[in-house]
Amino acid sequence: MPLTADAKGVYPIAPTPFFDDGRIDTASIDRMMDFYHACGSTGLTVLGQLGEAQKLEHAESLAVASQVIGRAGELPVIVGVSAPGFAAMRALTHEVMARGAAGVMIAPPNTLRTDDQIVNYYRQAVEAIGADVPFVLQDYPLTFSVQMSPGVIKRIVDELPSCVMLKHEDWPGLEKISTLRGFERDGKMRHISILCGNNGLFLDYEMERGADGANTGYCFPDMLCDVVRLNAEGDREAAHDLFDAHLPLLRYEQQPGVGLAVRKYVLMRRGILSSAAQRKPASPMSAQAREEVDHLLARLAKKDPRAANLAK
């Protein structure tokens, strides 16, 4: 089914598993998909910013997306199709949609500076991929250096009906969520799904501001699922207690450069990936960083049994 503005829950950002020699690890993709099913994910995103999509050839990107879609069952799959030019974006979009993707995610190029440039870029992107393809607007100024005000997001949503979701990764960004939901409440903007990134660092209060869930890649996506569920059930303190237990590891994993290495290391320790390898160029963990993560896991195990078998 195509992605809609009613999407809720947790859409993990899937890493791309590699062997140590850089080959794609297809068996780990299947294990990863089975894990996402089991932990309560409501969808997922592949070839995202930390899916190392920029290191894949077009045929590899299509192969990874196709395997994920084929293993996803009823889970909607969003495919990151950001590219320097619209020709590559159009080609990958049409191919993954033909294979059953629910929609695509588009990040802005870092050359955009003015509000009009941002809106015009997404207008042209929709012309390239087709107005019938649901897309996710990725708002991540810390990485892309593109500042999208609530007014700019409103313009994109108003002008482009195929924009059905905002991947919200501004920081600080709580007031932006409140402003956008205020637009909706006042009848000034149609409803869209808002799923949040930034490794889930602010998910506890983002949910209370009106976000619909998480769209990020933390190494315990099952915790994110629990926080979103507890919030929906009205159990505020239980949601915060669980979130707080994971916050030190969340913070450590959010570090620029080393974050993906930490995520893959823990997913390997959890038996989901066979290797923590990244495709080069890569930023591997030092021995001291691994010791620090092991220490964080040991501390987490005192509060969350899911980390108990990982503590060294």
Side-chain angles (χ1 to χ4, degrees):
M1 295 293 292
L3 190 68
T4 73
D6 296 321
K8 296 179 182 294
V10 177
Y11 282 57
I13 299 289
T16 302
F18 296 106
F19 292 112
D20 291 344
D21 62 5
R23 290 179 297 120
I24 295 171
D25 179 0
T26 56
S28 286
I29 292 177
D30 285 346
R31 279 196 305 274
M32 179 175 65
M33 293 303 300
D34 293 344
F35 170 73
Y36 288 147
H37 274 284
C39 76
S41 303
T42 51
L44 69 141
T45 299
V46 66
L47 305 182
Q49 178 68 17
L50 289 182
E52 300 180 76
Q54 71 278 10
K55 303 175 187 177
L56 302 179
E57 298 176 1
H58 175 82
E60 291 178 317
S61 297
L62 183 57
V64 169
S66 298
Q67 183 177 351
V68 166
I69 293 166
R71 193 82 172 189
E74 295 183 357
L75 292 184
V77 177
I78 300 169
V79 180
V81 296
S82 303
F86 290 131
M89 182 186 296
R90 178 192 302 113
L92 184 56
T93 295
H94 289 178
E95 287 173 309
V96 298
M97 292 302 293
R99 285 161 173 78
V104 300
M105 182 168 66
I106 304 174
N110 60 12
T111 54
L112 304 179
R113 291 293 176 265
T114 69
D115 292 356
D116 287 343
Q117 287 174 340
I118 296 168
V119 175
N120 189 53
Y121 176 81
Y122 280 96
R123 187 185 298 123
Q124 292 182 18
V126 169
E127 291 174 357
I129 68 174
D132 59 331
V133 178
F135 79 92
V136 178
L137 173 64
Q138 187 171 10
D139 179 20
Y140 196 4
L142 277 74
T143 291
F144 302 128
S145 302
V146 176
Q147 297 291 334
M148 296 189 198
S149 68
V152 167
I153 294 171
K154 178 181 178 298
R155 284 179 60 186
I156 293 171
V157 172
D158 287 344
E159 290 189 29
L160 303 172
S162 55
C163 179
V164 297
M165 181 187 290
L166 171 68
K167 183 178 183 188
H168 171 75
E169 298 190 272
D170 205 347
W171 182 356
L174 293 174
E175 299 303 331
K176 180 180 282 189
I177 296 174
S178 294
T179 300
L180 291 170
R181 290 309 190 208
F183 288 158
E184 292 182 23
R185 195 165 48 248
D186 297 339
K188 296 178 180 178
M189 187 182 85
R190 65 181 171 84
H191 174 77
I192 60 168
S193 174
I194 299 178
L195 299 186
C196 300
N198 276 324
N199 216 44
L201 270 180
F202 305 98
L203 182 62
D204 50 350
Y205 287 109
E206 287 168 338
M207 294 297 299
E208 296 182 10
R209 292 292 189 114
D212 295 298
N215 183 206
T216 193
Y218 177 51
C219 57
F220 282 86
D222 33 353
M223 181 279 289
L224 303 177
C225 292
D226 287 345
V227 168
V228 170
R229 175 182 53 79
L230 289 166
N231 184 277
E233 293 172 353
D235 200 343
R236 184 188 193 199
E237 294 309 312
H240 280 276
D241 287 345
L242 177 59
F243 181 84
D244 290 350
H246 281 258
L247 190 53
L249 183 57
L250 278 167
R251 179 190 64 180
Y252 198 97
E253 193 186 299
Q254 180 61 4
Q255 295 178 92
V258 72
L260 179 60
V262 173
R263 181 176 305 167
K264 285 192 158 186
Y265 173 70
V266 177
L267 290 174
M268 179 187 69
R269 294 282 306 280
R270 299 190 74 184
I272 298 164
L273 303 183
S274 61
S275 169
Q278 303 170 57
R279 182 172 280 186
K280 296 177 182 178
S283 301
M285 294 172 67
S286 66
Q288 186 169 1
R290 285 194 297 273
E291 188 280 328
E292 290 164 348
V293 172
D294 291 340
H295 179 242
L296 287 167
L297 289 169
R299 292 180 58 82
L300 177 59
K302 298 175 183 178
K303 300 291 183 64
D304 189 335
R306 285 174 287 211
N309 294 330
L310 309 181
K312 288 186 177 181

